Amino acid sequence: MNIDEDHPGFDNEAVWPRRLLHVPSMTSYKWAPGNRYGGRQNPSYIAVSYTWGRFQLRHPDENPHVCALPIRGISWPVPRVDPDVHFSVDQFQHVIYEMMKTAERHYEFDYTKDQRTLQKTPGSWLVRPLLRWLERHRMVYEFLWLDIACIDQRPGPIQMAEIGRQARIFQNAAHSYVWLSHLSYDILESILDNLRVAVSGLDQEPYNRTEPPYNCHTWISQAIQSIGDLTNDPWFKSLWTLQEGFMCNHAIILSKEGRVLCDTSRVVVRSFSLDNLFGITYSIIQWSERTRTPCKDLELLRLMDLIHKTGLAALFCNNPMGLLGISYNRNPTNELDRVYGIMQTLGPDFRVGTDSTHRYTLNELENEFGDAILRTCPVLSQMHVHLQAPAMGSGWRVQANSRVPWMAERGDMFGWNCGNRVETNIEISPLALCSLSTCNVGNTLWARISGKACDFEDLQRGWKSADNSEYANKINQSLWRMHGCTDQAIHMIALDRGTYLDPQPPGLDILNVEASHELAAWMTEKSRRHKLVVFLLGQCSFNMEMFCSGVIMFKREEHGISHWCRVGICTWLYSHMREEDKFHPLWSLLKGDSENWYHIEGLFG
């Protein structure tokens, strides 16, 4: 069947869905010319992210008394969900009606200045009951994008086409929800309150390292418990919700009953969203970069591992390169969904595995995924680190064991222009300065690189001299200090695991001047037998600041193939090395223009 056969005249590149569910009548309406649904033109609609696939009753004789959600206007059977392990039809219907109400279901006059205690004012007594009544009975929206009502559930080109348009659909919605269907309002509120308290306790650790040691373990344990309780909800285990959570980070969180929670941490109270949750998690990560708790402390390792494996860290980042790794912590029905289920995070037009005549393997699909990123966003394609040594020839691409280091959390600074996760007015202008492509050697897809490189030792000395120069104090006022550090070096390094530089000495992963230069010096000394070079990926300017990014690598020969092998990535600031028309002698080196930089090319992987 042609993908337009069911919807003549429909533009597959449009932002509008093929169908929308009209909730008052529970009717799924097709798109019609003029963006009409059931006679309504350009209707405002909301979208919801939830999970049901693993709880589906797949055979008619399995719990035959369980009915499906009643939806009119469709020709496919609506999936039935097992109410004993997930949610009932009545619960689902109730939550759908709740979603049709205003997104901000709270009243600011109810709160005192500390925003935690109800204020019983005349307005509260007179107006609040009226608003509550309106909230209980009035629908603000009529249309909902609900997957089982708006995507043909029968496998085929129409289904695949609409699945491939979810980025557009969510982005065009008036707003979106995330339904945590296993957590009641009271339990969810308690979990989030406990998590806030734990983060507040961690943040009290002094920045000054001359202070007496601070005991963080009570707060670490509380954070582990809270995050564990929260992410036990099935929404955090589904693969497709990983993509939806990344694309709609402003989505409002709904409890099991369909109630919203309030974020009272702001001056103006708002409904609690994924953004709020990810921000709380990021506070833990910021604390982890400066804490004096030993990095091998078992409780600390457990906390950070939980944050990364559940996806909370990757979902905070404005960089989609960590999502493939998170997809391996989730259990899809189809292995290929590890790629299909996240590819739209790279952009609404980003599609791989589109050849319907070919039966893809997961490795082929991951190669195509990595190749597409390499060609469209060459700098971004390297902004991750490997947690395990990749197979020979595949080190160029993002892997199942890839993770985004915090120096690369801003994908918009590395050429990815689809991110909306950082609310800032800073003008950002990234520029790629390399050529990356792929080629087949035997049965392996390799990358081929061409561009400038500099000996790591030369750059390491330049970083050290720059931080010892009269210009160094300018970095203290720079936006380069993005990690809440008291002091930060001109450069940042993130190393891959599984190389000859692994493990690195303890204490050198802290983002401050001393540790950063000690790490670079240790790498130089450790690499006497391996000539490390930095391959220049690109530059970026942001609000009068400029920095470069590169891949750290060395030349090796394996099985008769000479190639460049990466050991990590690095970024370094250089804009502060000038004052008006006066340039520091290190300016050219740090910008990538000096005679220290020379041309290299070859296989990379």
Side-chain angles (χ1 to χ4, degrees):
M1 179 186 289
N2 186 286
I3 61 172
D4 296 325
E5 185 177 322
D6 192 43
H7 295 72
F10 183 80
D11 180 5
N12 200 55
E13 304 304 314
V15 297
W16 288 92
R18 278 181 165 78
R19 286 177 175 269
L20 284 174
L21 176 65
H22 182 251
V23 172
S25 64
M26 290 300 288
T27 303
S28 176
Y29 284 112
K30 289 183 184 180
W31 174 92
N35 302 321
R36 292 183 178 275
Y37 299 85
R40 292 279 302 277
Q41 186 172 26
N42 298 329
S44 294
Y45 70 89
I46 62 174
V48 58
S49 174
Y50 71 114
T51 185
W52 54 269
R54 285 177 295 137
F55 307 98
Q56 181 182 357
L57 296 171
R58 300 186 181 276
H59 304 289
D61 57 351
E62 188 178 4
N63 292 352
H65 63 282
V66 175
C67 299
L69 188 71
I71 299 173
R72 302 181 180 91
I74 59 175
S75 55
W76 60 84
V78 177
R80 296 182 306 128
V81 175
D82 188 346
D84 294 331
V85 293
H86 206 32
F87 53 75
S88 68
V89 170
D90 289 342
Q91 285 177 301
F92 198 11
Q93 187 80 69
H94 171 74
V95 171
I96 287 172
Y97 283 130
E98 288 296 302
M99 287 189 281
M100 297 296 100
K101 299 169 183 177
T102 179
E104 299 292 346
R105 273 171 262 168
H106 56 75
Y107 310 106
E108 282 129 18
F109 56 78
D110 281 342
Y111 294 89
T112 60
K113 289 184 179 179
D114 67 8
Q115 301 174 345
R116 299 299 295 167
T117 307
L118 286 177
Q119 182 181 13
K120 295 179 173 61
T121 63
S124 173
W125 289 112
L126 297 174
V127 180
R128 190 168 186 266
L130 175 61
L131 292 176
R132 285 291 186 196
W133 188 90
L134 290 173
E135 177 188 300
R136 189 178 298 112
H137 295 89
R138 176 175 172 263
M139 281 191 180
V140 177
Y141 300 93
E142 293 185 7
F143 287 90
L144 170 69
W145 187 86
L146 182 71
D147 57 357
I148 59 173
C150 302
I151 295 181
D152 194 325
Q153 296 300 299
R154 297 165 296 190
I158 294 176
Q159 181 193 64
M160 293 305 296
E162 200 65 353
I163 286 174
R165 300 179 63 258
Q166 287 189 67
R168 290 184 174 90
I169 293 170
F170 271 94
Q171 289 166 4
N172 191 48
H175 67 268
S176 53
Y177 287 109
V178 163
W179 182 30
L180 304 185
S181 57
H182 283 206
L183 292 174
S184 70
Y185 179 88
D186 290 339
I187 290 176
L188 187 54
E189 185 176 48
S190 175
I191 288 171
L192 294 174
D193 282 345
N194 289 337
L195 184 57
R196 289 190 192 99
V197 171
V199 171
S200 177
L202 295 174
D203 282 342
Q204 291 175 25
E205 181 175 3
Y207 278 75
N208 189 342
R209 294 184 173 269
T210 62
E211 295 284 335
Y214 183 76
N215 187 355
C216 301
H217 284 90
T218 297
W219 308 121
I220 292 175
S221 297
Q222 185 165 321
I224 290 171
Q225 183 68 48
S226 299
I227 293 173
D229 291 344
L230 177 69
T231 56
N232 272 336
D233 187 272
W235 189 87
F236 292 95
K237 303 180 188 302
S238 165
L239 196 147
W240 287 95
T241 60
L242 179 62
Q243 175 174 264
E244 293 162 0
F246 192 87
M247 292 188 303
C248 51
N249 55 302
H250 297 294
I252 295 167
I253 294 176
L254 289 178
S255 71
K256 177 179 181 178
E257 308 90 341
R259 292 181 63 185
V260 301
L261 292 90
C262 293
D263 171 31
T264 58
S265 64
R266 302 182 180 187
V267 174
V268 178
V269 179
R270 288 288 180 261
S271 294
F272 195 87
S273 68
L274 287 178
D275 246 357
N276 303 131
L277 174 60
F278 300 155
I280 292 173
T281 307
Y282 183 58
S283 296
I284 298 177
I285 293 162
Q286 284 187 307
W287 162 81
S288 73
E289 292 178 341
R290 66 175 178 84
T291 181
R292 285 177 286 172
T293 305
C295 62
K296 294 193 182 236
D297 181 272
L298 293 180
E299 284 290 278
L300 176 59
L301 287 172
R302 186 181 168 200
L303 173 60
M304 302 313 297
D305 192 54
L306 184 62
I307 289 173
H308 284 290
K309 284 189 173 180
T310 55
L312 291 176
L315 287 168
F316 174 85
C317 284
N318 196 47
N319 181 340
M321 297 300 288
L323 297 181
L324 181 62
I326 301 305
S327 76
Y328 274 80
N329 295 322
R330 304 196 175 193
N331 298 313
T333 305
N334 183 348
E335 282 290 306
L336 299 186
D337 287 344
R338 298 196 190 282
V339 175
Y340 286 132
I342 64 168
M343 67 181 181
Q344 288 179 70
T345 61
L346 273 296
D349 300 318
F350 191 95
R351 295 189 183 96
V352 297
T354 57
D355 184 355
S356 59
T357 65
H358 181 68
R359 190 179 183 88
Y360 287 91
T361 66
L362 182 57
N363 185 66
E364 287 175 329
L365 202 58
E366 288 181 345
N367 274 340
E368 192 172 319
F369 183 63
D371 179 53
I373 301 171
L374 196 79
R375 295 175 187 275
T376 57
C377 298
V379 180
L380 180 76
S381 73
Q382 300 305 308
M383 288 298 109
H384 61 95
V385 293
H386 298 304
L387 299 185
Q388 296 176 8
M392 178 182 167
S394 65
W396 58 273
R397 68 167 170 84
V398 64
Q399 307 270 322
N401 55 52
S402 292
R403 181 178 290 177
V404 174
W406 293 105
M407 57 180 271
E409 67 188 13
R410 294 279 304 264
D412 51 340
M413 290 186 166
F414 304 103
W416 180 58
N417 59 9
C418 296
N420 63 349
R421 313 171 67 75
V422 179
E423 297 177 358
T424 177
N425 295 320
I426 299 175
E427 183 176 346
I428 298 172
S429 301
L431 175 66
L433 297 173
C434 61
S435 174
L436 300 179
S437 58
T438 56
C439 61
N440 281 295
V441 179
N443 295 321
T444 302
L445 185 68
W446 288 76
R448 180 169 288 278
I449 62 172
S450 178
K452 289 181 179 180
C454 175
D455 291 352
F456 180 81
E457 187 171 3
D458 290 346
L459 204 50
Q460 178 246 322
R461 285 198 299 261
W463 292 334
K464 183 72 171 178
S465 298
D467 271 343
N468 287 333
S469 73
E470 67 274 18
Y471 290 80
N473 64 341
K474 291 176 65 178
I475 204 171
N476 292 327
Q477 287 78 46
S478 168
L479 290 174
W480 188 244
R481 298 175 69 245
M482 292 182 285
H483 295 261
C485 303
T486 51
D487 60 341
Q488 186 165 312
I490 187 177
H491 69 283
M492 290 184 278
I493 295 172
L495 294 178
D496 295 328
R497 305 262 182 90
T499 74
Y500 71 91
L501 293 174
D502 182 35
Q504 65 190 59
L508 299 189
D509 56 347
I510 299 172
L511 284 177
N512 62 37
V513 173
E514 182 181 0
S516 296
H517 287 298
E518 285 181 5
L519 174 60
W522 173 81
M523 291 170 60
T524 298
E525 187 59 34
K526 186 83 171 175
S527 305
R528 294 303 178 192
R529 293 197 306 161
H530 306 274
K531 182 184 176 183
L532 278 185
V533 303
V534 175
F535 178 69
L536 185 62
L537 290 172
Q539 296 173 339
C540 180
S541 62
F542 63 105
N543 201 37
M544 305 302 291
E545 305 283 9
M546 290 174 282
F547 72 91
C548 293
S549 55
V551 176
I552 309 169
M553 57 190 186
F554 67 99
K555 196 74 172 281
R556 73 186 306 179
E557 185 159 333
E558 293 178 283
H559 306 292
I561 299 176
S562 178
H563 64 280
W564 294 100
C565 182
R566 60 172 272 168
V567 298
I569 57 176
C570 59
T571 58
W572 64 94
L573 189 70
Y574 68 89
S575 51
H576 69 304
M577 299 303 291
R578 70 175 178 182
E579 289 181 355
E580 297 179 352
D581 294 330
K582 180 184 176 183
F583 292 84
H584 191 278
L586 290 168
W587 168 268
S588 295
L589 169 67
L590 298 177
K591 188 182 178 184
D593 282 344
S594 74
E595 61 184 13
N596 302 76
W597 293 87
Y598 49 89
H599 180 78
I600 67 168
E601 58 184 32
L603 293 177
F604 171 49

